[in-house]
Amino acid sequence: MSDVKKILGNYSTDITRTIEEELSAITPNNLAEASVYLTRAGGKMLRPALTLIAAEAVGGNRESALKSAAAIELIHTFSLIHDDIMDQDDMRRGMPSVHKVWGDDVAILAGDTLFSKAFEIIIGNKGTTSDQNNKSLATVADACVKICEGQALDMGFEERFDVTEDEYMEMIFKKTGALIAAATKVGAIMGGASEGVIDAMYEYGRLIGLAFQIQDDYLDLVSDEETLGKPIGSDIGKGKMTVIAIKGLASDDTGRLLEILKDDENSNEDITEAIDILTKCGAIEYARNLALESIKQAKEVLEILDDSSSKQMLVDIADFVLERSA
Amino acid sequence: MSDVKKILGNYSTDITRTIEEELSAITPNNLAEASVYLTRAGGKMLRPALTLIAAEAVGGNRESALKSAAAIELIHTFSLIHDDIMDQDDMRRGMPSVHKVWGDDVAILAGDTLFSKAFEIIIGNKGTTSDQNNKSLATVADACVKICEGQALDMGFEERFDVTEDEYMEMIFKKTGALIAAATKVGAIMGGASEGVIDAMYEYGRLIGLAFQIQDDYLDLVSDEETLGKPIGSDIGKGKMTVIAIKGLASDDTGRLLEILKDDENSNEDITEAIDILTKCGAIEYARNLALESIKQAKEVLEILDDSSSKQMLVDIADFVLERSA
């Protein structure tokens, strides 16, 4: 597993440098600093690395996809900044979130700026055809619409405790899966893949994206605060619907889980009790199995590709999604 | 003048229809409604009309620029929605602003959705070359970065009372001028203009954009609440720097204007007193002359175009910027 982190680390140097270059001209200073802050805080760079690896795995080269990869990461960062405002999450990547440091207003603007820059970067990409750039732009724009829709669905769920699993799966596809799918698809486009391979790479990204979000929900309950960079059980504290909560509510006859989810002022003991209920009724295990199945399918989709070290990396990353601890 | 409003009205039917079509697929409902709300509230549609008229004025046709024009209006609407959150403006187009109706979170997302849709629309534009679409996308993305920078500069000014006129002019170019310049440039690009004409159309837009913002600052002091759709002197109440305030502070030896600008809880009498100071020292007239000069230059730039009814509309719109009352 440390191998995958090392692979991501290798790609992240190029991506971080590209992002720093692209953001260097932003003024005034506070906007520039707020815009680059989360990149410097050191994310995993999973999405842009996927773009680069996908480009290589379809027979293209890393350089042709580098700008698009940076753009994908900026879209991800934009959505984190705006989501943290909406979700009132005060920590991100183990540091105070952008709105905690600069306030909501600058955080809104920093997100908007990164969004704009992402499109500017793809438009200005050299070494690929304008058809490739256009397809990549269309893919990214589609993902952006879906991210917004997914976040709106997610916020709508917060007032509801009767969310179905189907509704939940649509939400996480839009909120998380769509951008990861765009990341691998854009890599395939920039790498010069055929339509069939481009579609397969989107499906691979979609599937690991679903597993990624389910794993996030899982880690919120089974990780520890230091590793995760935020308190354990924060989703329960906020009454947030996850596939785990949905399954748990269906199994819990006592009504205690619903009570805790509805309560705005849970104690640590309440959170622990809820996690205990979710463990005993098998909801946590159910979610884990759902993620495992998605990853199995994602690896099957990769069979369309010729064998290569980059293809193997995609297999390893699929496994990594489930083995990561933060 | 009613002629110009009629012209804008004629173009706005096509633009509104295009926007409604492009936004029809958004889900969930609250996001869809929040996204289309300000379009239905009935803006002037000045920017997208400029795009269409510019396309015609350079010898192209309206249809080729229609999608881009809709995209320009969506970018404008996105920036209004986010600005209203940041500036805590509760009214827009005579109606409660988006964040007052749906809350800050949905308003942030609605803005983000419109932003995404704007790019999606230009990318999907048919009937123009991908080179034209790419140039338009680059122009819009550049304007978006500038809008964010302009808003950040503007917010930075709020804590300062020593803003210079140059700083102010940079701010309003980025915040207001850049998108109007993009609107006319994109029209020229989609209309098939030469590089020289494209640049001239950008300059025309930049100049009327500057005049537009200065006129906004002017109207904030000399219009009436019903026409304007918001209280008179609200900029003074918020201690906002405008070219009028900058000139006024330089002329006011009593320190009374500075006192009013710094006060967070001004009475109506205080606002009236400030407007009186600004009138007597010539600051309001100075701003008016600045706007007049920009409009004069904008009309000179248009001399590069062959005479046509569309060129005449651009002249009329330049004049309209100064004659509008809201």
Side-chain angles (χ1 to χ4, degrees), chain A residues 2-31:
Chain A
S2 66
D3 281 354
V4 166
K5 283 196 173 164
K6 203 173 164 187
I7 289 168
L8 296 180
N10 285 340
Y11 284 92
S12 78
T13 310
D14 280 352
I15 297 158
T16 305
R17 177 179 44 75
T18 307
I19 290 174
E20 291 265 0
E21 281 168 13
E22 295 288 346
L23 301 186
S24 63
I26 296 170
T27 61
N29 276 341
N30 65 337
L31 184 62

mmCIF file of all heavy atoms in Angstrom, chain A residues 2-31:
data_model
loop_
_atom_site.group_PDB
_atom_site.id
_atom_site.type_symbol
_atom_site.label_atom_id
_atom_site.label_comp_id
_atom_site.label_asym_id
_atom_site.label_seq_id
_atom_site.Cartn_x
_atom_site.Cartn_y
_atom_site.Cartn_z
ATOM 1 N N SER A 2 1.910 1.214 0.751
ATOM 2 C CA SER A 2 2.816 2.371 0.738
ATOM 3 C C SER A 2 3.333 2.595 -0.683
ATOM 4 O O SER A 2 3.714 3.701 -1.047
ATOM 5 C CB SER A 2 3.988 2.165 1.688
ATOM 6 O OG SER A 2 4.804 1.107 1.227
ATOM 7 N N ASP A 3 3.323 1.543 -1.517
ATOM 8 C CA ASP A 3 3.714 1.689 -2.915
ATOM 9 C C ASP A 3 2.798 2.656 -3.651
ATOM 10 O O ASP A 3 3.263 3.498 -4.425
ATOM 11 C CB ASP A 3 3.675 0.317 -3.626
ATOM 12 C CG ASP A 3 4.926 -0.501 -3.302
ATOM 13 O OD1 ASP A 3 5.830 0.064 -2.641
ATOM 14 O OD2 ASP A 3 4.964 -1.685 -3.679
ATOM 15 N N VAL A 4 1.480 2.530 -3.435
ATOM 16 C CA VAL A 4 0.537 3.429 -4.110
ATOM 17 C C VAL A 4 0.732 4.861 -3.633
ATOM 18 O O VAL A 4 0.741 5.798 -4.431
ATOM 19 C CB VAL A 4 -0.927 2.973 -3.900
ATOM 20 C CG1 VAL A 4 -1.894 4.075 -4.304
ATOM 21 C CG2 VAL A 4 -1.204 1.715 -4.704
ATOM 22 N N LYS A 5 0.916 5.028 -2.336
ATOM 23 C CA LYS A 5 1.164 6.385 -1.820
ATOM 24 C C LYS A 5 2.430 6.964 -2.449
ATOM 25 O O LYS A 5 2.508 8.162 -2.729
ATOM 26 C CB LYS A 5 1.272 6.371 -0.295
ATOM 27 C CG LYS A 5 -0.082 6.250 0.376
ATOM 28 C CD LYS A 5 -0.048 6.625 1.844
ATOM 29 C CE LYS A 5 -1.460 6.646 2.422
ATOM 30 N NZ LYS A 5 -1.464 6.642 3.899
ATOM 31 N N LYS A 6 3.416 6.097 -2.677
ATOM 32 C CA LYS A 6 4.668 6.537 -3.302
ATOM 33 C C LYS A 6 4.414 6.929 -4.764
ATOM 34 O O LYS A 6 4.914 7.954 -5.231
ATOM 35 C CB LYS A 6 5.685 5.391 -3.232
ATOM 36 C CG LYS A 6 7.131 5.848 -3.307
ATOM 37 C CD LYS A 6 8.070 4.675 -3.061
ATOM 38 C CE LYS A 6 9.485 5.010 -3.520
ATOM 39 N NZ LYS A 6 10.372 3.838 -3.447
ATOM 40 N N ILE A 7 3.618 6.102 -5.466
ATOM 41 C CA ILE A 7 3.258 6.425 -6.861
ATOM 42 C C ILE A 7 2.571 7.775 -6.921
ATOM 43 O O ILE A 7 2.950 8.659 -7.691
ATOM 44 C CB ILE A 7 2.314 5.336 -7.440
ATOM 45 C CG1 ILE A 7 3.084 4.035 -7.666
ATOM 46 C CG2 ILE A 7 1.675 5.814 -8.743
ATOM 47 C CD1 ILE A 7 2.173 2.835 -7.950
ATOM 48 N N LEU A 8 1.539 7.981 -6.064
ATOM 49 C CA LEU A 8 0.819 9.251 -6.048
ATOM 50 C C LEU A 8 1.786 10.386 -5.737
ATOM 51 O O LEU A 8 1.711 11.461 -6.334
ATOM 52 C CB LEU A 8 -0.322 9.219 -5.017
ATOM 53 C CG LEU A 8 -1.460 8.219 -5.283
ATOM 54 C CD1 LEU A 8 -2.502 8.305 -4.174
ATOM 55 C CD2 LEU A 8 -2.118 8.446 -6.638
ATOM 56 N N GLY A 9 2.700 10.121 -4.815
ATOM 57 C CA GLY A 9 3.697 11.123 -4.437
ATOM 58 C C GLY A 9 4.566 11.530 -5.620
ATOM 59 O O GLY A 9 4.848 12.714 -5.813
ATOM 60 N N ASN A 10 4.962 10.566 -6.425
ATOM 61 C CA ASN A 10 5.776 10.865 -7.610
ATOM 62 C C ASN A 10 5.046 11.763 -8.589
ATOM 63 O O ASN A 10 5.608 12.709 -9.125
ATOM 64 C CB ASN A 10 6.163 9.561 -8.336
ATOM 65 C CG ASN A 10 7.250 8.808 -7.588
ATOM 66 O OD1 ASN A 10 7.963 9.402 -6.778
ATOM 67 N ND2 ASN A 10 7.361 7.514 -7.829
ATOM 68 N N TYR A 11 3.778 11.456 -8.829
ATOM 69 C CA TYR A 11 2.992 12.278 -9.749
ATOM 70 C C TYR A 11 2.699 13.654 -9.161
ATOM 71 O O TYR A 11 2.610 14.640 -9.877
ATOM 72 C CB TYR A 11 1.671 11.572 -10.103
ATOM 73 C CG TYR A 11 1.835 10.437 -11.081
ATOM 74 C CD1 TYR A 11 2.039 9.128 -10.647
ATOM 75 C CD2 TYR A 11 1.796 10.669 -12.443
ATOM 76 C CE1 TYR A 11 2.193 8.085 -11.538
ATOM 77 C CE2 TYR A 11 1.948 9.632 -13.354
ATOM 78 C CZ TYR A 11 2.141 8.345 -12.898
ATOM 79 O OH TYR A 11 2.288 7.325 -13.795
ATOM 80 N N SER A 12 2.563 13.699 -7.837
ATOM 81 C CA SER A 12 2.091 14.946 -7.227
ATOM 82 C C SER A 12 3.088 16.096 -7.364
ATOM 83 O O SER A 12 2.692 17.253 -7.362
ATOM 84 C CB SER A 12 1.715 14.723 -5.761
ATOM 85 O OG SER A 12 2.866 14.680 -4.952
ATOM 86 N N THR A 13 4.367 15.768 -7.495
ATOM 87 C CA THR A 13 5.374 16.831 -7.657
ATOM 88 C C THR A 13 5.093 17.656 -8.916
ATOM 89 O O THR A 13 5.034 18.890 -8.872
ATOM 90 C CB THR A 13 6.791 16.228 -7.741
ATOM 91 O OG1 THR A 13 6.960 15.327 -6.655
ATOM 92 C CG2 THR A 13 7.857 17.307 -7.701
ATOM 93 N N ASP A 14 4.898 16.947 -10.047
ATOM 94 C CA ASP A 14 4.593 17.633 -11.310
ATOM 95 C C ASP A 14 3.287 18.416 -11.215
ATOM 96 O O ASP A 14 3.179 19.535 -11.728
ATOM 97 C CB ASP A 14 4.429 16.602 -12.443
ATOM 98 C CG ASP A 14 5.783 16.140 -12.983
ATOM 99 O OD1 ASP A 14 6.813 16.725 -12.583
ATOM 100 O OD2 ASP A 14 5.797 15.187 -13.780
ATOM 101 N N ILE A 15 2.298 17.794 -10.582
ATOM 102 C CA ILE A 15 0.970 18.422 -10.514
ATOM 103 C C ILE A 15 1.027 19.686 -9.653
ATOM 104 O O ILE A 15 0.521 20.738 -10.035
ATOM 105 C CB ILE A 15 -0.072 17.432 -9.950
ATOM 106 C CG1 ILE A 15 -0.205 16.232 -10.890
ATOM 107 C CG2 ILE A 15 -1.417 18.110 -9.749
ATOM 108 C CD1 ILE A 15 -0.755 14.988 -10.217
ATOM 109 N N THR A 16 1.671 19.578 -8.493
ATOM 110 C CA THR A 16 1.771 20.726 -7.593
ATOM 111 C C THR A 16 2.517 21.882 -8.267
ATOM 112 O O THR A 16 2.094 23.042 -8.181
ATOM 113 C CB THR A 16 2.492 20.327 -6.291
ATOM 114 O OG1 THR A 16 1.798 19.218 -5.716
ATOM 115 C CG2 THR A 16 2.511 21.477 -5.303
ATOM 116 N N ARG A 17 3.598 21.548 -8.972
ATOM 117 C CA ARG A 17 4.370 22.580 -9.668
ATOM 118 C C ARG A 17 3.500 23.266 -10.719
ATOM 119 O O ARG A 17 3.470 24.501 -10.830
ATOM 120 C CB ARG A 17 5.604 21.949 -10.325
ATOM 121 C CG ARG A 17 6.455 22.923 -11.138
ATOM 122 C CD ARG A 17 7.690 22.239 -11.765
ATOM 123 N NE ARG A 17 7.428 20.949 -12.379
ATOM 124 C CZ ARG A 17 6.800 20.775 -13.567
ATOM 125 N NH1 ARG A 17 6.388 21.812 -14.251
ATOM 126 N NH2 ARG A 17 6.596 19.563 -14.038
ATOM 127 N N THR A 18 2.753 22.480 -11.486
ATOM 128 C CA THR A 18 1.873 23.044 -12.518
ATOM 129 C C THR A 18 0.812 23.950 -11.892
ATOM 130 O O THR A 18 0.562 25.054 -12.393
ATOM 131 C CB THR A 18 1.189 21.905 -13.311
ATOM 132 O OG1 THR A 18 2.206 21.020 -13.799
ATOM 133 C CG2 THR A 18 0.394 22.451 -14.480
ATOM 134 N N ILE A 19 0.217 23.495 -10.811
ATOM 135 C CA ILE A 19 -0.800 24.311 -10.141
ATOM 136 C C ILE A 19 -0.195 25.618 -9.632
ATOM 137 O O ILE A 19 -0.759 26.701 -9.824
ATOM 138 C CB ILE A 19 -1.466 23.529 -8.986
ATOM 139 C CG1 ILE A 19 -2.342 22.406 -9.558
ATOM 140 C CG2 ILE A 19 -2.283 24.449 -8.086
ATOM 141 C CD1 ILE A 19 -2.941 21.479 -8.510
ATOM 142 N N GLU A 20 0.961 25.515 -8.982
ATOM 143 C CA GLU A 20 1.612 26.729 -8.452
ATOM 144 C C GLU A 20 1.881 27.729 -9.588
ATOM 145 O O GLU A 20 1.653 28.929 -9.436
ATOM 146 C CB GLU A 20 2.934 26.375 -7.759
ATOM 147 C CG GLU A 20 2.767 25.588 -6.459
ATOM 148 C CD GLU A 20 2.770 26.482 -5.209
ATOM 149 O OE1 GLU A 20 2.908 27.706 -5.336
ATOM 150 O OE2 GLU A 20 2.622 25.919 -4.101
ATOM 151 N N GLU A 21 2.369 27.228 -10.730
ATOM 152 C CA GLU A 21 2.625 28.106 -11.877
ATOM 153 C C GLU A 21 1.342 28.775 -12.354
ATOM 154 O O GLU A 21 1.306 29.982 -12.592
ATOM 155 C CB GLU A 21 3.202 27.298 -13.048
ATOM 156 C CG GLU A 21 4.689 26.979 -12.915
ATOM 157 C CD GLU A 21 5.163 25.936 -13.949
ATOM 158 O OE1 GLU A 21 4.400 25.654 -14.905
ATOM 159 O OE2 GLU A 21 6.263 25.405 -13.774
ATOM 160 N N GLU A 22 0.293 27.971 -12.482
ATOM 161 C CA GLU A 22 -0.954 28.485 -13.046
ATOM 162 C C GLU A 22 -1.629 29.492 -12.125
ATOM 163 O O GLU A 22 -2.347 30.375 -12.579
ATOM 164 C CB GLU A 22 -1.916 27.329 -13.345
ATOM 165 C CG GLU A 22 -1.432 26.362 -14.430
ATOM 166 C CD GLU A 22 -1.478 26.968 -15.839
ATOM 167 O OE1 GLU A 22 -2.127 28.018 -16.022
ATOM 168 O OE2 GLU A 22 -0.853 26.385 -16.747
ATOM 169 N N LEU A 23 -1.404 29.364 -10.817
ATOM 170 C CA LEU A 23 -2.063 30.260 -9.858
ATOM 171 C C LEU A 23 -1.200 31.466 -9.475
ATOM 172 O O LEU A 23 -1.637 32.328 -8.720
ATOM 173 C CB LEU A 23 -2.447 29.494 -8.587
ATOM 174 C CG LEU A 23 -3.387 28.291 -8.743
ATOM 175 C CD1 LEU A 23 -3.781 27.752 -7.368
ATOM 176 C CD2 LEU A 23 -4.637 28.638 -9.546
ATOM 177 N N SER A 24 0.038 31.513 -10.023
ATOM 178 C CA SER A 24 0.997 32.525 -9.547
ATOM 179 C C SER A 24 0.575 33.957 -9.866
ATOM 180 O O SER A 24 0.988 34.889 -9.176
ATOM 181 C CB SER A 24 2.382 32.249 -10.129
ATOM 182 O OG SER A 24 2.328 32.359 -11.540
ATOM 183 N N ALA A 25 -0.254 34.142 -10.896
ATOM 184 C CA ALA A 25 -0.584 35.515 -11.320
ATOM 185 C C ALA A 25 -1.806 36.099 -10.607
ATOM 186 O O ALA A 25 -2.177 37.246 -10.855
ATOM 187 C CB ALA A 25 -0.814 35.539 -12.829
ATOM 188 N N ILE A 26 -2.442 35.326 -9.723
ATOM 189 C CA ILE A 26 -3.667 35.825 -9.077
ATOM 190 C C ILE A 26 -3.364 37.004 -8.145
ATOM 191 O O ILE A 26 -2.393 36.984 -7.401
ATOM 192 C CB ILE A 26 -4.351 34.695 -8.267
ATOM 193 C CG1 ILE A 26 -4.825 33.583 -9.193
ATOM 194 C CG2 ILE A 26 -5.533 35.230 -7.445
ATOM 195 C CD1 ILE A 26 -5.285 32.339 -8.457
ATOM 196 N N THR A 27 -4.189 38.036 -8.203
ATOM 197 C CA THR A 27 -4.133 39.153 -7.257
ATOM 198 C C THR A 27 -5.542 39.373 -6.719
ATOM 199 O O THR A 27 -6.498 38.966 -7.369
ATOM 200 C CB THR A 27 -3.656 40.462 -7.931
ATOM 201 O OG1 THR A 27 -4.583 40.807 -8.962
ATOM 202 C CG2 THR A 27 -2.269 40.332 -8.500
ATOM 203 N N PRO A 28 -5.741 40.035 -5.580
ATOM 204 C CA PRO A 28 -4.734 40.465 -4.607
ATOM 205 C C PRO A 28 -4.199 39.285 -3.779
ATOM 206 O O PRO A 28 -4.666 38.160 -3.947
ATOM 207 C CB PRO A 28 -5.529 41.442 -3.730
ATOM 208 C CG PRO A 28 -6.947 40.976 -3.815
ATOM 209 C CD PRO A 28 -7.111 40.419 -5.198
ATOM 210 N N ASN A 29 -3.255 39.592 -2.891
ATOM 211 C CA ASN A 29 -2.546 38.558 -2.136
ATOM 212 C C ASN A 29 -3.454 37.608 -1.368
ATOM 213 O O ASN A 29 -3.220 36.404 -1.369
ATOM 214 C CB ASN A 29 -1.585 39.202 -1.131
ATOM 215 C CG ASN A 29 -0.268 39.545 -1.795
ATOM 216 O OD1 ASN A 29 0.047 39.004 -2.864
ATOM 217 N ND2 ASN A 29 0.493 40.430 -1.185
ATOM 218 N N ASN A 30 -4.462 38.149 -0.684
ATOM 219 C CA ASN A 30 -5.280 37.252 0.138
ATOM 220 C C ASN A 30 -6.021 36.236 -0.726
ATOM 221 O O ASN A 30 -6.139 35.066 -0.364
ATOM 222 C CB ASN A 30 -6.242 38.042 1.050
ATOM 223 C CG ASN A 30 -7.279 38.831 0.279
ATOM 224 O OD1 ASN A 30 -7.074 39.165 -0.893
ATOM 225 N ND2 ASN A 30 -8.394 39.153 0.920
ATOM 226 N N LEU A 31 -6.466 36.655 -1.905
ATOM 227 C CA LEU A 31 -7.145 35.729 -2.817
ATOM 228 C C LEU A 31 -6.161 34.679 -3.335
ATOM 229 O O LEU A 31 -6.489 33.494 -3.422
ATOM 230 C CB LEU A 31 -7.780 36.496 -3.987
ATOM 231 C CG LEU A 31 -8.602 35.653 -4.952
ATOM 232 C CD1 LEU A 31 -9.806 35.011 -4.254
ATOM 233 C CD2 LEU A 31 -9.086 36.493 -6.141
#
